[in-house]
Amino acid sequence: DAEITQSPRHKITETGRQVTLACHQTWNHNNMFWYRQDLGHGLRLIHYSYGVQDTNKGEVSDGYSVSRSNTEDLPLTLESAASSQTSVYFCASSEDYSAEQYFGPGTRLTVT
Amino acid sequence: AQKITQTQPGMFVQEKEAVTLDCTYDTSDQSYGLFWYKQPSSGEMIFLIYQGSYDEQNATEGRYSLNFQKARKSANLVISASQLGDSAMYFCAMSLNYGGSQGNLIFGKGTKLSVKP
């Protein structure tokens, strides 16, 4: 069965370190997204990609970057982790703009 | 700018009764989609139902229906015959169907539903 996975599921890191969160989907979807979820804010879009070599900034992109070298993967990098980036991160993919997004299980990141 | 508003931070419903979760949206675009997702305490995001802005019929999926009132810009989720397993956080979301950010979801802050036995 097709799926979308994220790793690690939990991560504790120190302020200033570079961190990369992995997202892998086997749906063969062109569209992939990264969101963060914080209490009182719902989910907010960080970055998104509509295909290989395409990346775009979302609502809360400062301090994050992504790259898309193949269809299956969209890793999210925190260049220099900050305590404000402590959050739960969700990756998602969709077939097209009007289709539902399938979400990964989430990564809980704590920056100390 | 697009916005989703869910005015009910928390709600209680008795098991087997129906419940309506409110969602209003704001957009000047004509072509968009409205989604509802469920997030149980385990944390995963589960897609429930979708309504396109040009769909004339309200969407239904099993016990879920979306009460779409375009003129009022509302897209309320109705859950019939509530079950204990319906206790979860529910998010309303919207996406635009064209433009540079097509397909990106804008989420409301969610409503926490608790089903009482």
Side-chain angles (χ1 to χ4, degrees):
Chain A
D1 286 348
E3 61 178 354
I4 180 166
T5 58
Q6 294 183 236
S7 61
R9 295 293 311 278
H10 301 272
K11 174 81 176 176
I12 300 174
T13 191
E14 294 178 345
T15 301
R17 290 192 178 265
Q18 183 181 79
V19 176
T20 296
L21 309 182
C23 174
H24 179 80
Q25 53 99 1
T26 57
W27 292 100
N28 200 35
H29 288 162
N30 283 325
N31 302 338
M32 294 185 73
F33 310 85
W34 273 104
Y35 297 90
R36 62 178 288 175
Q37 183 177 24
D38 305 289
L39 280 174
H41 287 280
L43 281 81
R44 293 180 291 173
L45 184 65
I46 305 172
H47 281 285
Y48 58 101
S49 168
Y50 291 145
V52 176
Q53 303 299 335
D54 176 73
T55 61
N56 305 280
K57 294 181 178 180
E59 178 190 355
V60 290
S61 61
D62 287 349
Y64 304 94
S65 63
V66 293
S67 61
R68 187 92 180 267
S69 58
N70 58 53
T71 300
E72 296 80 18
D73 300 288
L74 187 70
L76 177 72
T77 297
L78 287 68
E79 303 293 344
S80 176
S83 57
S84 60
Q85 294 176 309
T86 292
S87 186
V88 178
Y89 292 85
F90 285 98
C91 179
S93 71
S94 70
E95 184 176 349
D96 64 40
Y97 59 84
S98 64
E100 69 267 27
Q101 292 185 14
Y102 294 87
F103 281 78
T107 294
R108 184 174 295 275
L109 177 69
T110 302
V111 183
T112 62
Chain B
Q2 289 72 35
K3 186 178 179 181
I4 293 282
T5 302
Q6 294 180 254
T7 57
Q8 307 152 314
M11 287 191 69
F12 289 92
V13 64
Q14 203 67 38
E15 192 178 10
K16 300 181 184 177
E17 292 186 350
V19 62
T20 298
L21 306 184
D22 293 342
C23 173
T24 58
Y25 60 93
D26 187 17
T27 182
S28 56
D29 291 275
Q30 297 302 310
S31 182
Y32 51 87
L34 296 157
F35 302 78
W36 278 92
Y37 283 84
K38 173 184 178 181
Q39 186 178 42
S41 58
S42 51
E44 71 267 32
M45 295 289 289
I46 302 167
F47 166 74
L48 295 178
I49 197 166
Y50 166 81
Q51 177 88 37
S53 58
Y54 293 118
D55 294 341
E56 298 198 351
Q57 302 269 9
N58 285 345
T60 60
E61 290 286 349
R63 294 186 299 111
Y64 305 108
S65 61
L66 199 153
N67 184 0
F68 181 45
Q69 298 188 40
K70 195 170 183 177
R72 300 179 64 179
K73 294 189 175 180
S74 73
N76 299 339
L77 177 70
V78 180
I79 305 175
S80 63
S82 297
Q83 301 172 356
L84 296 178
D86 293 335
S87 294
M89 198 76 171
Y90 289 81
F91 291 97
C92 180
M94 175 175 66
S95 68
L96 300 181
N97 290 348
Y98 64 91
S101 61
Q102 65 182 21
N104 297 347
L105 287 176
I106 302 153
F107 284 87
K109 294 184 178 182
T111 295
K112 185 173 183 179
L113 178 67
S114 299
V115 180
K116 296 180 180 180

